[in-house]
Amino acid sequence: MAKPVSLQNKEFGAGGKPISQKGESLWKDSMRRLMRNRAAVIGGSIIVLLLLLAVFADVIAPYPFAEQTLVDQNKLPQWVLSLFPTMEPYAQLSPKYFFGADYVGRDMMSRIIYGTRVSLTVAFIGPIISLIIGVIYGSISGYFGGRLDNLMMRIVDVLYAFPSLLFIILLLAFFRSTFARPAPGTFTYSVSQLDAAMGGLLFIFIGIGLTAWATMARLTRGQVLSVREKEFVEAARTLGANDMRIMFRHILPNVVGPLVVAETLAIPGYISTEAFLSFIGIGVNPPTPSWGSMISDGAQVIRTYPNQAVFPALALAITMFAFNFLGDGLRDALDPRLRGTQ
Amino acid sequence: MGSDVEITTPKATKQKSGFVTTLTRVLKYSGVRLLSLFITVVIGVYLTIMIANMGGYVDQMMKSEIQERITMQIQANPAFRTMDPATRSQLTQEKIQSEIDRLGLERPLVIRSMGFLKNALTLNLGRAQLMSSDSGSRNVKAIILERIPYTLLLMGTANLILFFSTLFLALALSRKYGSFWDKFVITLSPTSSVPPWFYGIFLILIFAAVLKILPFGGVIDAPVPKDFLGRALSVGRHLILPASSLILSSFFLSIFNWRTFFLIYSSEDYVETAKAKGLPSRDIERRYILRPTLPTIITAFALLLIGLWAGAIITETVFQWPGLGRVTFRAINLYDTPVIVGTTIIYAYLLAITVFLLDFVYALVDPRVKIGSGGGPQ
């Protein structure tokens, strides 16, 4: 065992250039390329940091997110005041809150920390939902082709013709009011209970799922079409594999790379959608802290207390940049030919 | 057909019949295309109607609202005070029933939605349930028309500047592939992953809160200037921040995309040949690079024109800009179905018309495209 280990050390010792004779797996190779991309590594580390913040929010946040201290309304610490000196004439100082307190005296910092939970949940669940629906839909459409393909793609076209933000707003307004006051014991009641338990996230997921899968379905169909006629599919068919097996065992693993990359690049969009919905008041239920609703509250008082809009907006932007950089890095790593394209 | 210079008599007749077949081909194609687009619009609008009515839930809301309103009215009316409770409740029931009949809430939604669909498609937008225009009209058309100039002003300024500046800058960059500015744009292109209102908040902070040289929001100064020039200057000053946040959020990505696009076309073989022939780069650009890219540029421009009508909900809210985006947002919050359907149908029509016209524009600018002949544009 000792010899191969020393050999391996040598392999990666000089300039990271492998001199290995062994073939490297695709994933290992991609991982190495990803690690060499500085922006992607920074983005990835920020995401890990945010994940830790979200998981340990209870421990890290100095106050509970819904605790109102009315005497501390709009108070802010000294360093925020020196950042925005326009607030000098009326600002009330209080060193208790690092980013200041909002209009009902809730600690902004705690709310931003708890806000990572909402944004990151959307960032991870959103792609999963749209991947599952989109990949199944797209691979069926692309694999079977013909009239079925035509019909399925026309449905996608109709969805495309719709402005997606308007569609998701209408859907959410529909959910929010249909499930507003259902009678206990019915199906609607249990759904609304589940949604309330998730702080209003369930409907956001359903909304994203119903609108975002169309892009994924189109992409999957295109990818499936491009490998459908390859020799290995022919071989599998000759060996007697059925359609399901060919689709999921032979075709999907060969097209999954671009799909994962597309989803990673779509994550900032999902985060932005959630923030948008919370901004206009049909996203998460108050008092669940979401950066979107915090920015919305802050935008009301941006003339007097700009810090209440700026810090959540910065948190949102940093998260979106992090996912964007990671997505770019992943794309370059998984398919070096695409480097520098969008 | 234009190359047929020496035309003999038999050829001339042949060309005439060629013209006729072209005409029938184009007409047939237009018919089929218009029909399919119309069906798409109908489906889209019907979906909007059903969702905006929440599959019938709005009816229930309206019924309970009517019930509450009429009960309150009768209780508050001194003329009915002396009436015995049984007659009064009967009167209440009758009034509620007549109001429900007047609004046609008894008939099932599926039947009424057909009427809604017909009205929507004939642009008979009707009256809003709760919202009213600034001049006090309940007419949906008035509400929408009142806001359209503001949205067009903001979106038009921002998007036209964005489109032309990025296009020309990208063309300039594609000449200097790998230069400093090229790398600069590539580095900054991720700035577009953040929505415009994010930049809006910071622009407000910098230019309105700290530097105090531009207004926080709104369209015009509070005492409206009396002369036209003063008004125009005031609106212009209010326009700067929202427009620049819209431009800033897609500026670098847009340049980057166009640049990549031009680069792909400038590595074609015929461009190499032109270079080898020693043509000046201006001619190469105009004849060999810009020409084949024209359809794409036109498509982008047309889509931009459609996008102008939608408005930007959050950017308009942050800057308190009274545009269509805010109307839509308010309508959705108030469940004002006629207004929601009205904004959607206008958008859907514009989209369909633009898509239809684009096919013909393609055929005009690109001789390779032939309308309706098998491999025509999809």
Side-chain angles (χ1 to χ4, degrees):
Chain A
M1 276 311 269
K3 261 191 176 173
V5 168
S6 65
L7 241 177
Q8 265 183 2
N9 281 344
K10 240 183 224 165
E11 275 172 17
F12 293 99
K17 270 218 162 160
I19 39 168
S20 157
Q21 299 293 315
K22 253 191 324 189
E24 267 192 325
S25 82
L26 171 74
W27 294 107
K28 222 169 157 189
D29 195 38
S30 311
M31 198 62 200
R32 195 164 39 75
R33 270 198 296 264
L34 185 67
M35 281 317 203
R36 235 186 287 155
N37 186 333
R38 208 182 305 150
V41 170
I42 293 174
S45 344
I46 291 176
I47 292 167
V48 171
L49 219 76
L50 288 168
L51 267 176
L52 290 176
L53 268 185
V55 173
F56 297 108
D58 294 323
V59 187
I60 298 166
Y63 300 91
F65 61 81
E67 187 185 273
Q68 304 181 0
T69 318
L70 288 173
V71 278
D72 288 340
Q73 274 177 17
N74 300 325
K75 282 194 177 163
L76 39 103
Q78 183 62 44
W79 77 273
V80 175
L81 185 64
S82 43
L83 202 63
F84 304 108
T86 47
M87 292 189 280
E88 193 83 68
Y90 48 82
Q92 288 177 305
L93 292 177
S94 160
K96 266 167 78 184
Y97 310 109
F98 187 66
F99 287 148
D102 70 0
Y103 68 109
V104 284
R106 292 177 295 198
D107 178 32
M108 298 271 297
M109 188 177 165
S110 307
R111 286 179 69 74
I112 289 177
I113 291 173
Y114 277 103
T116 48
R117 286 191 170 171
V118 171
S119 285
L120 288 189
T121 321
V122 172
F124 287 104
I125 307 277
I128 293 176
I129 296 174
S130 87
L131 258 184
I132 291 175
I133 306 178
V135 164
I136 292 176
Y137 193 94
S139 37
I140 289 174
S141 177
Y143 182 77
F144 291 109
R147 205 173 276 171
L148 180 74
D149 179 36
N150 227 333
L151 178 75
M152 287 173 90
M153 280 303 121
R154 285 299 85 73
I155 296 174
V156 171
D157 282 349
V158 170
L159 260 183
Y160 250 77
F162 237 52
S164 68
L165 265 184
L166 188 67
F167 188 51
I168 200 170
I169 291 173
L170 286 172
L171 275 176
L172 273 178
F174 170 59
F175 288 141
R176 289 263 176 266
S177 50
T178 316
F179 295 96
R181 280 183 299 267
T186 54
F187 171 69
T188 20
Y189 183 74
S190 33
V191 172
S192 76
Q193 285 301 303
L194 184 61
D195 181 61
M198 290 169 76
L201 276 175
L202 179 68
F203 291 143
I204 296 180
F205 292 148
I206 298 177
I208 287 178
L210 284 177
T211 48
W213 63 270
T215 321
M216 209 31 59
R218 248 189 198 179
L219 190 64
T220 313
R221 172 179 171 269
Q223 294 288 330
V224 170
L225 278 182
S226 70
V227 297
R228 187 173 68 166
E229 308 295 338
K230 289 270 169 70
E231 287 85 352
F232 63 85
V233 177
E234 208 64 31
R237 192 169 290 134
T238 320
L239 287 172
N242 61 5
D243 286 338
M244 287 303 271
R245 190 176 162 81
I246 293 176
M247 245 198 290
F248 290 105
R249 188 89 188 91
H250 296 280
I251 294 184
L252 261 191
N254 280 292
V255 303
V256 81
L259 302 182
V260 169
V261 169
E263 269 310 334
T264 320
L265 282 171
I267 286 178
Y270 297 133
I271 297 178
S272 156
T273 307
E274 184 277 320
F276 172 80
L277 293 170
S278 296
F279 186 102
I280 63 176
I282 52 176
V284 297
N285 302 333
T288 310
S290 149
W291 293 337
S293 52
M294 292 176 75
I295 295 169
S296 170
D297 291 339
Q300 312 274 332
V301 292
I302 196 163
R303 289 172 194 224
T304 40
Y305 296 106
N307 61 318
Q308 294 185 14
V310 168
F311 293 123
L314 269 181
L316 185 67
I318 288 171
T319 314
M320 285 164 74
F321 279 132
F323 276 107
N324 193 24
F325 284 133
L326 184 67
D328 270 346
L330 264 184
R331 183 194 51 210
D332 294 348
L334 282 177
D335 197 346
R337 281 169 308 170
L338 290 176
R339 180 174 296 254
T341 57
Q342 281 287 324
Chain B
M1 268 180 281
S3 59
D4 273 57
V5 184
E6 304 152 273
I7 309 165
T8 51
T9 344
K11 253 193 181 174
T13 51
K14 200 181 166 193
Q15 193 179 9
K16 197 177 175 189
S17 68
F19 174 74
V20 172
T21 50
T22 309
L23 194 69
T24 50
R25 183 166 53 94
V26 169
L27 281 180
K28 195 179 152 206
Y29 174 78
S30 316
V32 172
R33 189 86 177 132
L34 271 179
L35 192 72
S36 70
L37 278 173
F38 184 71
I39 291 170
T40 315
V41 167
V42 169
I43 294 174
V45 171
Y46 191 72
L47 272 179
T48 316
I49 290 174
M50 287 314 271
I51 296 176
N53 278 300
M54 298 175 196
Y57 189 78
V58 166
D59 289 358
Q60 277 180 33
M61 279 162 58
M62 278 172 73
K63 271 184 200 165
S64 48
E65 197 254 336
I66 290 168
Q67 200 159 2
E68 196 180 317
R69 181 160 47 89
I70 289 178
T71 319
M72 293 290 280
Q73 267 175 12
I74 289 182
Q75 274 176 358
N77 194 337
F80 299 124
R81 281 274 160 78
T82 51
M83 216 177 252
D84 69 295
T87 342
R88 194 159 61 179
S89 82
Q90 199 195 344
L91 182 75
T92 316
Q93 286 307 320
E94 274 169 17
K95 281 207 162 191
I96 290 172
Q97 198 53 49
S98 82
E99 181 73 7
I100 287 177
D101 285 347
R102 186 180 71 80
L103 291 171
L105 291 178
E106 278 301 276
R107 286 181 298 146
L109 180 72
V110 183
I111 297 172
R112 277 186 303 136
S113 64
M114 288 300 152
F116 294 159
L117 184 65
K118 192 185 140 232
N119 281 341
L121 290 176
T122 50
L123 284 182
N124 181 5
L125 301 181
R127 291 158 66 83
Q129 280 158 0
L130 298 162
M131 291 172 73
S132 58
S133 70
D134 292 342
S135 52
S137 166
R138 275 288 183 89
N139 201 324
V140 173
K141 249 181 219 162
I143 295 177
I144 293 176
L145 283 179
E146 195 180 62
R147 298 305 176 96
I148 277 182
Y150 296 111
T151 287
L152 281 187
L153 179 65
L154 174 60
M155 302 301 280
T157 317
N159 282 327
L160 289 180
I161 292 177
L162 184 69
F163 183 79
F164 288 107
S165 65
T166 54
L167 197 61
F168 287 112
L169 283 174
L171 198 56
L173 275 189
S174 73
R175 276 176 227 149
K176 300 196 180 90
Y177 173 65
S179 68
F180 168 74
W181 290 110
D182 195 33
K183 283 178 187 143
F184 181 73
V185 167
I186 295 175
T187 320
L188 283 183
S189 64
T191 50
S192 300
S193 62
V194 181
W197 45 272
F198 172 78
Y199 294 101
I201 287 174
F202 282 90
L203 287 179
I204 290 180
L205 272 186
I206 297 168
F207 291 100
V210 178
L211 297 178
K212 292 180 181 156
I213 46 174
L214 288 169
F216 278 91
V219 189
I220 201 160
D221 286 329
V224 177
K226 286 197 177 61
D227 55 327
F228 177 76
L229 188 69
R231 278 203 295 269
L233 277 178
S234 173
V235 170
R237 259 167 52 84
H238 284 80
L239 190 63
I240 295 176
L241 285 188
S244 24
S245 68
L246 284 172
I247 294 174
L248 201 61
S249 83
S250 27
F251 189 69
F252 291 106
L253 185 63
S254 184
I255 296 186
F256 177 76
N257 283 342
W258 281 121
R259 157 211 170 265
T260 316
F261 175 69
F262 285 134
L263 279 179
I264 290 169
Y265 273 86
S266 45
S267 58
E268 292 278 353
D269 287 343
Y270 52 78
V271 178
E272 295 295 324
T273 316
K275 272 185 203 155
K277 278 199 296 190
L279 283 183
S281 57
R282 267 185 66 135
D283 284 1
I284 297 179
E285 219 157 69
R286 225 182 308 157
R287 279 191 229 157
Y288 298 102
I289 299 177
L290 280 184
R291 267 209 177 164
T293 56
L294 202 55
T296 317
I297 296 176
I298 291 173
T299 315
F301 189 71
L303 289 177
L304 178 150
L305 289 183
I306 306 169
L308 298 189
W309 297 88
I313 294 180
I314 297 195
T315 312
E316 283 179 4
T317 312
V318 167
F319 286 99
Q320 289 151 29
W321 190 266
L324 263 187
R326 275 177 83 192
V327 165
T328 320
F329 164 51
R330 248 178 71 87
I332 286 166
N333 268 349
L334 294 171
Y335 308 122
D336 204 329
T337 325
V339 183
I340 301 176
V341 176
T343 44
T344 316
I345 179 88
I346 290 180
Y347 186 85
Y349 266 136
L350 285 168
L351 191 73
I353 293 169
T354 317
V355 169
F356 178 69
L357 288 181
L358 265 182
D359 286 349
F360 289 92
V361 175
Y362 283 152
L364 280 181
V365 298
D366 191 344
R368 287 170 301 184
V369 175
K370 240 179 162 187
I371 284 178
S373 59
Q378 282 299 311

